[in-house]
Amino acid sequence: MKIGILTSGGDCPGLNAVIRGVVLKGTMTYDLEFVGIRDGWRGVVDGDFFPLTRHEVKGLSKVGGTILGTSRTNPYEGPRGGAENIAKTLYGHRIDGIIAIGGEGTLAAANRLYNDGINVLGVPKTIDNDLRATDYSFGFDTAVNIATEAMDRLRTTGDSHQRCMVAEVMGRHVGWIALHAGIAAGAHVICIPEVPMSIDQIAEQVSKARDRGRAPLVVVSEGFTLQGMDEAYSDKGLDAFNRPRLGGIGEVLAPEIERITGMETRATVLGHIQRGGSPSAFDRVLATRLGLHAADAVVDGAWGQMVSMQGTDIVRVPFEEALGELNTVPQYRYEEAAALFG
Amino acid sequence: MKIGILTSGGDCPGLNAVIRGVVLKGTMTYDLEFVGIRDGWRGVVDGDFFPLTRHEVKGLSKVGGTILGTSRTNPYEGPRGGAENIAKTLYGHRIDGIIAIGGEGTLAAANRLYNDGINVLGVPKTIDNDLRATDYSFGFDTAVNIATEAMDRLRTTGDSHQRCMVAEVMGRHVGWIALHAGIAAGAHVICIPEVPMSIDQIAEQVSKARDRGRAPLVVVSEGFTLQGMDEAYSDKGLDAFNRPRLGGIGEVLAPEIERITGMETRATVLGHIQRGGSPSAFDRVLATRLGLHAADAVVDGAWGQMVSMQGTDIVRVPFEEALGELNTVPQYRYEEAAALFG
Amino acid sequence: MKIGILTSGGDCPGLNAVIRGVVLKGTMTYDLEFVGIRDGWRGVVDGDFFPLTRHEVKGLSKVGGTILGTSRTNPYEGPRGGAENIAKTLYGHRIDGIIAIGGEGTLAAANRLYNDGINVLGVPKTIDNDLRATDYSFGFDTAVNIATEAMDRLRTTGDSHQRCMVAEVMGRHVGWIALHAGIAAGAHVICIPEVPMSIDQIAEQVSKARDRGRAPLVVVSEGFTLQGMDEAYSDKGLDAFNRPRLGGIGEVLAPEIERITGMETRATVLGHIQRGGSPSAFDRVLATRLGLHAADAVVDGAWGQMVSMQGTDIVRVPFEEALGELNTVPQYRYEEAAALFG
Amino acid sequence: MKIGILTSGGDCPGLNAVIRGVVLKGTMTYDLEFVGIRDGWRGVVDGDFFPLTRHEVKGLSKVGGTILGTSRTNPYEGPRGGAENIAKTLYGHRIDGIIAIGGEGTLAAANRLYNDGINVLGVPKTIDNDLRATDYSFGFDTAVNIATEAMDRLRTTGDSHQRCMVAEVMGRHVGWIALHAGIAAGAHVICIPEVPMSIDQIAEQVSKARDRGRAPLVVVSEGFTLQGMDEAYSDKGLDAFNRPRLGGIGEVLAPEIERITGMETRATVLGHIQRGGSPSAFDRVLATRLGLHAADAVVDGAWGQMVSMQGTDIVRVPFEEALGELNTVPQYRYEEAAALFG
């Protein structure tokens, strides 16, 4: 059997470890043959493949990024896209199935292709931890470690200057990175997309921390929407055109916090450093295990499913279970953490 | 209600984060009062207590070690030990219950005290991850990260000199640190207490890696017993008196590997650096959550139980479930990893 | 003798190590007495002092921030400011001299106070390494390490997506952090205040790296001014009022690079994480040694001077040598590095 | 011109950065041609060369180890060794000169070959910082960082258990790593080869720290010789045969300290993790600059010299200046540090 592997969507520490896991188990235990697919679905559509042997995956468990490249191409678009064309392309290269490593969009495309008759197996990948049907996804632990270390650094500066520090972390739709890094770094306010807050509520928390003699630390997901922000902008005569120029939500919050509390406030947007570089040990182990089990699943013909982590086990779940809704932070998890800054 | 908190057994990153979680939730949400117990069960027996307020736990989530101190004292030993004496001591200080943060020995003592009528709640703590009834325990992730980073460093030296490098990691009875760090660092041989191996088997794996052009990396748990080691020593005329002087098992393996494979081999015993210092973000979150839930459990009167991690949740389990047998590496988990160095 | 210690200006890893070095040497070797001055010159003016003993500086060599607090107050301003008032305040507290740990502004104020008859000794402090008369200043090495590690992470993402990554680092007037972190991380373009470049020159370097199959990495000091930027903005109808809203120079460069090269480009502004947190070993050693030698200098009555690093030695230089001009990156150092991306 | 590059002696972070610096400057600025020499002088003797282009050194500034391999071969030994044979071998491959990156032994061999008519240029390399004529050598800063971080971890465990912790670091003949890491981590005793101490002196320092409420931290160079150790062993009836089996000096000190002070004491031997892995930013910059200047020196025909760091500059010094005596820790530097633990 010849199997193609692709990585799709944003960069994520652990992608290479998955690839290594698949190839080592597949070649040594099952005698499978592999090809790398360049730049995600783009490579499937264009037939851009290259042989992937044990030699190519040497030493990859610690290496950030993806040796396969990635893109955000939709396999159903363009003149060579669509299930029928792809089936022909794969057949032409004698490729029996695809392992697609990616997030919600990638897995949705994988599911559609599977329903259209293509053999696809999924491996969940999301920095934000926003996929259901897996306890955690690789890359998330690394991102939380990086955000936590950055906030550890911001705290000493906050303390030295008696400043409020605002850290904006990743999380377009869900607040997991902010929640976990906020708990780990001892943040005094955690602002996530799932829990609407007004600037006055945030400022009140900041003031309470300040009044206890602390230098307040605020962590905010990039996808957090401030209640009443639209009104605030229109009060200032700023229209939609100007808003994106104002930078991330962290840079929106800082001056508002300073205005209300009177406390000097600085924002830092952590940005891309959260999704690059060498994975944490946790992510290397998780990614490697997902890769090993993906090879098993291929041999079992378990197409239309993804491998996933549940407790300490790697299991298989149908694509549908992971799709549709995002894995948001449940109310009880937010309240659990909120008890820390009471 | 007044509650005492103690930490017992070996040092472990995250102890302070548990203490902070308990105290913040307990004081702010439930209006509990806390005392710190100095040096584990020693402080219980001696009545060595001090007030523990929100102020004392400030900033502790990232701080390694334990502000309470620790010891390996058995609460049933000595003239002031035993359930009856301890009950009097606690009553004298108006302490209503104890939260004991510790490993197998600590929890066994906690259980016995509970059965003898003392209010005790447990929080599992083990670097080695050898406790049942919890998916992971805090400290383990930090230890695996440290061991992995150390092995990443050893690998470059192995490659430069075409040497075999042996890393001895913690794990007196179970091989979890060796297994996870070995997967993460891409080790070629993983030697754990649960899986007996002879020196010839190890040397064969080393030779195979060498023959593929790799600098072999061997990770070994301190508790690994080499099959046939006793015979080997007696062949050399070394008796039991001399053996402990030979250092850790890593230092035993290295010269034997070199002798059989002819490959220059060096051992490094990572030792105590695996159990000190600032916890990883994962361990800070886990430890904090265990602390928060321990405060809940106290209020619920859930004595005789320990809080534990299952999947993404914190649950309560009776002491008995965690005791008796250790959480060893199951055969299928070892074989899963073995597929990597086939 | 009673000596006051203050830290002034922006946060910098190593401040606490200096304080510890001064106090340990001063109390144990010379029997000096110390007071901490709160929040830089603000505390001098307000007479905000507290006893500083060996106990207070325990364990500080690794701790980021400053236990003394800091501010940007000018000691010559306000009703209680000025040399005469300060002399009275110090006399009132029987303080014989001040050790001022700070950057250009702090040392200029220190020099003026010294010329006005106050005993002041300086310790150079600048993240940016912009002070003359010292080979390096503490905090710089830590900042370069943090920036380098961040860029290591950005590179893997650049490679995975075939993107150009732009990293904005600290350096308002000098490019040392960009130069050193750029060399360390293997940047393809280094943009510093000392070396004017046009967007076309930058884009050409980016294109050359891309054409060699690399994902280009651009590092830019916050103080870099793009040649022709004013014209570019006025072409777009943006006036001075709007410009600061556009964020850092990194965010200015990225879209321009993308426009010219056609290569997807992303900017990350590292910001405050470069100046907080635990110092590197180099900075701990340098800061501690400066502190030790500051205590010697006090005993020698070497007021009006600062301690500084030259080669492997700590020496004393008059304030004037450090003031006036900044320590900019010399042309030959920039050209040296430019040979790497030829 | 065709130039060979070799790395010789023990592994050291920054070797690859030197190689990259030489090749980038040499090929792009000067149009030199390079060959890699495999495994140090072994490759010179055996004529084991391979083309080294810009492509081979891509991304190497952060990569630990050496892509050239290394060995401890003496070029004057063996049937193909000696200046005459080597001259023939080099001539046969049209190699005009050699850049030798190595420590004292390597540079001594390089000097002898130079005196015998071979074009050799040196780049100093020593983890231990034991070479004269250079302020620092690359690899040293990384080693000090690793040792410091390890000791930060040991401290929390010492504090939790009220134990004395002993850390053995590298330094066979000189104590630089122990001195710098000891200052950085706040050690209470620093034992280096240059400063003889008896076990009683060490124990006294330990007791003093303990009496001040500290958990004592002792750092010891591997090359430290305890005064009176020979007598101590013979008192115990241990002969020379048994002594090396006792492990490093750290493992010798720990039980003695425990015996005298009555304080539980644990030793950790850091070992090879100090010399592998990715270099610190400081070492990457230093190594890269040495490489760049080595290319300049080749073009200038500055054979018989080595490039070296003095202050912030890279200069050239004749081999002789670096040879003969080691760069030991001078008395005043040790006393400077000793003031910290008074």
Side-chain angles (χ1 to χ4, degrees):
Chain A
M1 258 210 301
K2 187 152 90 178
I3 304 295
I5 309 178
L6 67 84
T7 52
S8 174
D11 193 20
C12 185
L15 288 167
N16 279 326
V18 177
I19 298 164
R20 173 175 172 269
V22 170
V23 171
L24 289 183
K25 181 78 181 267
T27 54
M28 292 194 295
T29 303
Y30 298 124
D31 215 25
L32 298 177
E33 191 182 341
F34 291 97
V35 295
I37 301 173
R38 286 201 184 86
D39 303 337
W41 297 115
R42 208 264 315 144
V44 176
V45 169
D46 293 350
D48 193 354
F49 309 131
F50 65 99
L52 201 54
T53 69
R54 185 176 185 175
H55 181 75
E56 268 82 36
V57 302
K58 176 179 133 172
L60 282 194
S61 67
K62 63 167 289 194
V63 179
T66 164
I67 58 164
L68 302 178
T70 183
S71 71
R72 298 190 188 272
T73 305
N74 181 333
Y76 277 90
E77 286 178 3
R80 307 177 59 183
E84 209 168 324
N85 286 331
I86 288 173
K88 276 184 210 154
T89 305
L90 295 176
Y91 182 77
H93 288 81
R94 300 292 178 270
I95 294 173
D96 301 288
I98 292 173
I99 296 175
I101 312 169
E104 232 266 335
T106 303
L107 298 178
N111 192 35
R112 190 170 161 198
L113 286 169
Y114 171 69
N115 288 328
D116 286 348
I118 314 267
N119 288 339
V120 194
L121 184 89
V123 179
K125 179 231 67 167
T126 151
I127 285 285
D128 293 348
N129 202 37
D130 61 3
L131 273 169
R132 289 187 310 143
T134 187
D135 280 2
Y136 294 106
S137 52
F138 65 87
F140 173 66
D141 184 66
T142 305
V144 173
N145 270 313
I146 294 169
T148 299
E149 197 196 311
M151 288 199 280
D152 284 351
R153 295 197 173 275
L154 296 180
R155 287 199 79 145
T156 74
T157 300
D159 283 330
S160 298
H161 291 273
Q162 266 302 302
R163 268 186 201 156
C164 174
M165 303 300 278
V166 177
E168 181 183 319
V169 300
M170 285 194 164
R172 211 170 284 276
H173 304 293
V174 306
W176 287 108
I177 294 178
L179 183 75
H180 277 226
I183 292 172
H188 303 95
V189 193
I190 298 178
C191 302
I192 62 175
E194 295 88 339
V195 180
M197 292 174 83
S198 69
I199 189 67
D200 289 322
Q201 287 174 297
I202 295 169
E204 195 194 327
Q205 289 287 98
V206 166
S207 298
K208 276 170 60 181
R210 188 248 327 260
D211 295 347
R212 291 200 313 275
R214 315 299 303 272
L217 177 65
V218 179
V219 57
V220 55
S221 307
E222 58 181 330
F224 174 72
T225 306
L226 191 62
Q227 278 188 324
M229 188 156 63
D230 289 339
E231 292 81 348
Y233 282 120
S234 62
D235 286 0
K236 293 188 188 166
L238 297 173
D239 61 16
F241 175 77
N242 277 299
R243 224 173 312 158
R245 298 181 173 271
L246 289 165
I249 179 70
E251 285 162 14
V252 171
L253 291 186
E256 294 296 304
I257 291 171
E258 181 159 334
R259 182 179 59 80
I260 298 177
T261 65
M263 190 169 204
E264 206 183 10
T265 304
R266 293 283 182 278
T268 300
V269 179
L270 296 183
H272 283 84
I273 60 169
Q274 295 164 85
R275 68 182 327 135
S278 189
S280 69
F282 182 96
D283 281 338
R284 296 191 203 178
V285 173
L286 172 54
T288 302
R289 293 185 71 200
L290 289 172
L292 293 169
H293 284 260
D296 296 341
V298 160
V299 170
D300 292 349
W303 309 111
Q305 304 185 52
M306 73 173 203
V307 288
S308 108
M309 181 201 192
Q310 290 185 4
T312 59
D313 289 321
I314 307 298
V315 299
R316 297 173 194 168
V317 294
F319 281 137
E320 277 85 5
E321 283 189 29
L323 302 176
E325 254 175 276
L326 289 178
N327 174 35
T328 51
V329 175
Q331 185 68 16
Y332 78 91
R333 283 297 309 275
Y334 187 79
E335 281 164 10
E336 182 192 276
L340 290 165
F341 35 86
Chain B
M1 258 210 301
K2 188 151 89 179
I3 304 296
I5 309 178
L6 67 82
T7 52
S8 176
D11 192 20
C12 184
L15 287 167
N16 280 324
V18 178
I19 298 165
R20 173 176 172 267
V22 171
V23 171
L24 289 184
K25 182 78 181 267
T27 54
M28 292 195 295
T29 303
Y30 297 124
D31 215 25
L32 299 176
E33 193 182 339
F34 292 97
V35 295
I37 301 172
R38 285 201 183 83
D39 302 338
W41 297 114
R42 208 267 312 144
V44 175
V45 169
D46 294 350
D48 194 353
F49 308 131
F50 64 100
L52 201 53
T53 68
R54 185 175 184 176
H55 181 75
E56 269 80 37
V57 301
K58 178 179 131 170
L60 282 192
S61 67
K62 63 168 288 190
V63 180
T66 163
I67 58 164
L68 303 178
T70 184
S71 71
R72 298 190 187 270
T73 305
N74 180 335
Y76 278 90
E77 286 178 3
R80 307 178 59 186
E84 210 168 324
N85 287 331
I86 287 174
K88 276 185 207 150
T89 305
L90 294 178
Y91 183 76
H93 288 80
R94 301 291 179 272
I95 293 174
D96 301 288
I98 291 173
I99 296 175
I101 313 169
E104 232 266 335
T106 303
L107 298 178
N111 192 36
R112 190 170 163 199
L113 286 170
Y114 171 69
N115 289 327
D116 286 348
I118 314 267
N119 289 339
V120 194
L121 184 89
V123 180
K125 178 230 70 164
T126 152
I127 285 286
D128 293 347
N129 202 36
D130 61 4
L131 274 168
R132 289 188 310 144
T134 187
D135 279 2
Y136 294 105
S137 52
F138 66 87
F140 172 65
D141 183 65
T142 305
V144 173
N145 270 312
I146 293 169
T148 300
E149 197 195 310
M151 288 198 279
D152 284 351
R153 294 197 174 277
L154 296 180
R155 287 198 79 145
T156 73
T157 299
D159 282 329
S160 297
H161 291 272
Q162 265 303 304
R163 268 185 200 156
C164 173
M165 303 300 278
V166 177
E168 180 183 320
V169 299
M170 285 195 162
R172 211 170 285 275
H173 304 293
V174 304
W176 288 108
I177 294 178
L179 182 74
H180 277 227
I183 293 173
H188 303 94
V189 193
I190 297 178
C191 302
I192 62 175
E194 295 88 338
V195 180
M197 292 174 83
S198 70
I199 190 65
D200 289 323
Q201 288 173 297
I202 295 169
E204 195 194 327
Q205 289 287 97
V206 166
S207 298
K208 276 170 60 181
R210 188 247 328 259
D211 295 346
R212 289 200 312 275
R214 315 299 302 272
L217 176 65
V218 179
V219 57
V220 55
S221 307
E222 57 181 329
F224 174 73
T225 307
L226 191 61
Q227 279 188 323
M229 187 157 63
D230 289 341
E231 293 80 349
Y233 282 121
S234 62
D235 286 0
K236 293 189 190 164
L238 297 173
D239 61 16
F241 174 78
N242 276 301
R243 223 172 315 157
R245 300 181 171 271
L246 289 166
I249 179 70
E251 285 162 15
V252 171
L253 291 186
E256 293 298 303
I257 291 171
E258 182 160 332
R259 183 180 58 80
I260 299 177
T261 65
M263 191 170 201
E264 204 184 11
T265 305
R266 293 283 182 279
T268 299
V269 180
L270 295 184
H272 284 84
I273 59 168
Q274 294 163 86
R275 67 182 326 135
S278 189
S280 69
F282 182 96
D283 282 338
R284 295 191 202 178
V285 172
L286 172 55
T288 302
R289 293 184 72 198
L290 290 171
L292 293 169
H293 284 259
D296 296 341
V298 160
V299 171
D300 291 349
W303 309 111
Q305 303 185 52
M306 73 173 203
V307 287
S308 106
M309 182 201 192
Q310 290 185 2
T312 60
D313 289 321
I314 308 298
V315 300
R316 298 173 193 168
V317 294
F319 281 136
E320 278 84 4
E321 282 189 29
L323 302 175
E325 252 175 276
L326 288 179
N327 174 35
T328 51
V329 174
Q331 186 68 15
Y332 77 91
R333 282 299 308 276
Y334 186 79
E335 281 165 11
E336 182 193 275
L340 291 165
F341 36 86
Chain C
M1 258 211 300
K2 187 152 90 178
I3 304 296
I5 309 177
L6 67 82
T7 52
S8 175
D11 193 20
C12 184
L15 287 167
N16 280 324
V18 177
I19 298 165
R20 173 176 172 267
V22 171
V23 171
L24 289 183
K25 181 79 181 267
T27 55
M28 291 194 295
T29 302
Y30 298 123
D31 214 27
L32 300 176
E33 192 182 338
F34 291 98
V35 295
I37 301 173
R38 285 201 183 85
D39 302 338
W41 298 114
R42 208 267 311 146
V44 176
V45 169
D46 293 350
D48 194 353
F49 308 132
F50 65 98
L52 201 53
T53 69
R54 186 176 184 174
H55 181 75
E56 267 82 36
V57 302
K58 176 179 131 170
L60 282 194
S61 68
K62 63 167 288 191
V63 179
T66 163
I67 58 164
L68 303 178
T70 184
S71 72
R72 297 190 188 270
T73 303
N74 181 334
Y76 277 90
E77 285 179 3
R80 308 178 59 183
E84 209 169 322
N85 287 330
I86 287 174
K88 277 184 209 154
T89 305
L90 295 177
Y91 182 77
H93 289 80
R94 301 290 178 273
I95 294 173
D96 300 288
I98 292 174
I99 296 174
I101 313 168
E104 232 265 336
T106 302
L107 298 178
N111 192 36
R112 189 169 162 199
L113 286 170
Y114 171 69
N115 288 329
D116 287 347
I118 314 265
N119 289 339
V120 193
L121 183 89
V123 179
K125 178 230 69 165
T126 150
I127 286 284
D128 292 347
N129 201 37
D130 60 4
L131 273 169
R132 290 187 310 144
T134 186
D135 279 3
Y136 294 106
S137 52
F138 65 86
F140 173 65
D141 184 65
T142 305
V144 173
N145 270 312
I146 294 169
T148 299
E149 196 195 312
M151 287 198 281
D152 283 351
R153 294 197 174 276
L154 296 180
R155 286 198 80 143
T156 73
T157 300
D159 282 330
S160 298
H161 291 273
Q162 266 302 301
R163 268 186 201 156
C164 174
M165 304 300 277
V166 177
E168 180 184 319
V169 300
M170 284 194 165
R172 211 171 284 275
H173 304 293
V174 305
W176 288 107
I177 294 179
L179 182 75
H180 278 227
I183 293 172
H188 302 93
V189 193
I190 298 178
C191 302
I192 62 175
E194 294 88 340
V195 180
M197 291 175 84
S198 70
I199 189 68
D200 288 324
Q201 287 173 297
I202 296 169
E204 194 193 327
Q205 290 287 98
V206 166
S207 298
K208 275 169 60 182
R210 188 248 325 262
D211 295 347
R212 291 200 311 274
R214 317 297 304 272
L217 176 65
V218 179
V219 56
V220 55
S221 307
E222 57 180 331
F224 174 73
T225 305
L226 190 63
Q227 279 188 322
M229 188 158 62
D230 289 340
E231 293 79 348
Y233 281 121
S234 62
D235 286 0
K236 292 187 189 166
L238 297 173
D239 61 17
F241 175 78
N242 276 300
R243 226 174 312 159
R245 298 180 175 272
L246 288 166
I249 179 71
E251 286 164 13
V252 171
L253 291 186
E256 293 297 304
I257 292 170
E258 182 160 333
R259 183 180 58 80
I260 298 177
T261 64
M263 192 171 202
E264 205 184 9
T265 305
R266 293 282 182 279
T268 300
V269 180
L270 296 183
H272 283 84
I273 60 170
Q274 293 164 85
R275 69 183 323 138
S278 190
S280 69
F282 182 97
D283 281 338
R284 296 190 202 179
V285 173
L286 172 55
T288 301
R289 293 184 72 199
L290 290 172
L292 294 169
H293 284 260
D296 296 341
V298 160
V299 170
D300 291 349
W303 309 111
Q305 303 185 53
M306 73 173 203
V307 288
S308 107
M309 180 199 193
Q310 289 184 3
T312 61
D313 289 322
I314 307 298
V315 300
R316 296 172 196 168
V317 294
F319 280 137
E320 276 86 4
E321 282 190 30
L323 302 175
E325 251 174 279
L326 289 179
N327 174 35
T328 51
V329 174
Q331 185 68 15
Y332 78 90
R333 283 297 309 276
Y334 186 79
E335 279 163 14
E336 180 193 278
L340 290 164
F341 35 86
Chain D
M1 253 206 309
K2 187 151 91 176
I3 305 295
I5 309 178
L6 66 83
T7 53
S8 175
D11 193 20
C12 184
L15 287 167
N16 279 324
V18 177
I19 298 165
R20 173 175 172 268
V22 172
V23 171
L24 289 184
K25 182 80 181 266
T27 54
M28 292 195 294
T29 302
Y30 298 123
D31 214 27
L32 300 175
E33 192 182 340
F34 292 97
V35 295
I37 301 173
R38 286 203 183 84
D39 303 338
W41 298 114
R42 207 267 311 145
V44 176
V45 170
D46 293 350
D48 194 353
F49 309 131
F50 64 100
L52 200 54
T53 68
R54 184 175 186 177
H55 181 76
E56 268 82 36
V57 300
K58 177 179 132 171
L60 281 193
S61 67
K62 63 167 287 191
V63 179
T66 163
I67 58 165
L68 303 178
T70 182
S71 72
R72 298 190 188 271
T73 304
N74 180 334
Y76 277 89
E77 286 177 4
R80 309 178 57 184
E84 208 168 325
N85 286 330
I86 287 173
K88 276 185 209 151
T89 305
L90 294 177
Y91 183 77
H93 288 81
R94 301 290 180 272
I95 293 173
D96 301 287
I98 291 174
I99 296 175
I101 313 169
E104 231 267 336
T106 303
L107 298 179
N111 191 36
R112 189 170 162 199
L113 286 169
Y114 171 69
N115 288 328
D116 287 348
I118 313 266
N119 289 339
V120 193
L121 184 89
V123 180
K125 179 230 67 164
T126 151
I127 285 285
D128 293 347
N129 202 37
D130 61 4
L131 273 170
R132 289 187 311 143
T134 186
D135 279 2
Y136 294 106
S137 53
F138 66 88
F140 172 65
D141 183 66
T142 304
V144 173
N145 270 312
I146 293 169
T148 299
E149 197 195 310
M151 288 199 279
D152 284 349
R153 295 197 174 276
L154 297 180
R155 287 198 80 144
T156 75
T157 300
D159 283 329
S160 298
H161 291 273
Q162 265 302 304
R163 268 186 200 156
C164 173
M165 304 299 279
V166 177
E168 180 183 321
V169 300
M170 286 193 162
R172 211 170 284 274
H173 304 293
V174 304
W176 288 108
I177 294 178
L179 182 75
H180 278 227
I183 293 173
H188 302 94
V189 193
I190 298 177
C191 303
I192 63 175
E194 294 88 340
V195 180
M197 292 174 83
S198 70
I199 190 67
D200 289 323
Q201 287 172 297
I202 295 170
E204 195 194 328
Q205 289 287 97
V206 166
S207 298
K208 275 170 61 182
R210 188 250 322 263
D211 296 345
R212 291 199 313 274
R214 315 299 304 272
L217 176 65
V218 179
V219 57
V220 55
S221 307
E222 59 180 329
F224 174 73
T225 305
L226 191 61
Q227 279 189 323
M229 188 157 63
D230 289 341
E231 293 79 349
Y233 281 120
S234 62
D235 286 359
K236 294 188 189 165
L238 295 174
D239 62 16
F241 174 77
N242 277 300
R243 225 173 311 159
R245 299 180 173 273
L246 288 166
I249 179 70
E251 285 162 15
V252 171
L253 291 185
E256 292 298 303
I257 291 171
E258 181 160 333
R259 183 179 58 79
I260 299 176
T261 64
M263 191 169 201
E264 204 184 11
T265 305
R266 293 282 181 280
T268 300
V269 180
L270 295 183
H272 283 85
I273 59 168
Q274 295 163 87
R275 68 182 325 135
S278 189
S280 68
F282 182 97
D283 282 338
R284 297 191 203 177
V285 173
L286 172 55
T288 302
R289 292 184 73 199
L290 290 172
L292 293 170
H293 284 259
D296 296 341
V298 160
V299 171
D300 292 349
W303 308 110
Q305 304 186 50
M306 74 174 200
V307 287
S308 107
M309 181 200 191
Q310 289 185 4
T312 60
D313 288 321
I314 307 298
V315 300
R316 296 173 195 169
V317 294
F319 280 137
E320 277 84 4
E321 284 190 27
L323 301 176
E325 252 175 277
L326 289 179
N327 174 36
T328 52
V329 175
Q331 185 68 15
Y332 77 92
R333 281 299 308 276
Y334 186 79
E335 281 164 11
E336 180 193 277
L340 290 165
F341 36 85

